[in-house]
Amino acid sequence: MSYNWIHAEEFSMNSFLLLDRWIIEMICRDYRGWAEFADNLGIALAYNPAVAWYFMHKSPESKTYVDQIIAKAPGNLTADEVRRAEVFVLQAMETSVVYAYPEVMNRNCNYIYDWDKERLLELADFTDKIVLDIGSGTGRLAFAAAEQAKFVYASEPTGSLREYMRDRIKREKISNMVVVDGTAECIPYADNSFDIVMSGHVVGDHYDLELNELARVVKNGGYLIDCIGDDDKHRRPDEELLRRGFEVFYHVSKSGGDIYRYRKQITK
Ligand SMILES: C[S@@+](CC[C@H](N)C(=O)[O-])C[C@H]1O[C@@H](n2cnc3c(N)ncnc32)[C@H](O)[C@@H]1O
């Protein structure tokens, strides 16, 4: 399924040189059962030795796999055949490749550009609150919260996105927001540190692990918020969040999507 967040023909394999270890590892781990992808990745890496070197050194746990798929790549391909393989890989990995280009994310990802910050601000009173945003991306939620909050910590595991947010903070002279590394599974803060812990399009791979960790760092009486952006998708409420006691807020987006946002007050 393509989101059309990038037009792969416009991108080079060098895009992968801008991505972090966890993404390279994920690309080499999660798609092993997809033979067409593995074949194309093998060709793309075989004919881009610097990118192959980066994959193996940035993610040593992927080295054996990268060696294997490169070994299977035919040695006599034309430039057009190689480019077709590169474009296949870039398009298939567009949701990761786009992290290397935050401006493209803001421009092409409808969940970001079609979103109204009031959708977040109406979920809680952010005034004077200490807020943590998990998996901030380009900072859709974090910058909105910073307009009202006392202080916002924007946590993001992708380096290019952290740099993008730091540049924007500097450019706009924002004094109540910092950008930090971290994941939902391992938040580098002490228990009970925040009034509000929020995220969007992040929680869902490992509900218990992620939500326990988010709840750990929320103060007694504080809120967990899951606020996805607006898009055109038809979806149902997240049963896993409802089962865990989240309130749900529904609206139809401008492009006709079903948007559900979630909030839970944490009592300790
Ligand atoms: C689809 S983007 C959403 C960005 C932002 N929250 C928003 O809604 O605009 C998902 C973000 O989560 C980050 N991410 C990926 N895995 C993560 C994890 N395990 N914990 C925290 N963030 C993660 C990605 O780097 C990316 O910035």
Side-chain angles (χ1 to χ4, degrees), residues 86 193 229:
E86 292 175 357
S193 295

Side-chain angles (χ1 to χ4, degrees), residues 209-253:
L209 178 64
E210 293 158 354
L211 292 173
N212 286 343
E213 186 62 351
L214 267 56
R216 179 183 70 75
V217 296
V218 180
K219 295 176 188 169
N220 181 29
Y223 284 95
L224 295 187
I225 287 175
D226 189 345
C227 182
I228 67 164
D230 282 22
D231 59 26
D232 56 0
K233 288 201 193 108
H234 293 293
R235 45 168 82 76
R236 305 175 67 77
D238 185 328
E239 295 295 336
E240 295 289 338
L241 292 181
L242 297 189
R243 223 154 41 78
R244 288 167 174 82
F246 280 77
E247 298 169 77
V248 63
F249 301 81
Y250 171 77
H251 68 276
V252 178
S253 73

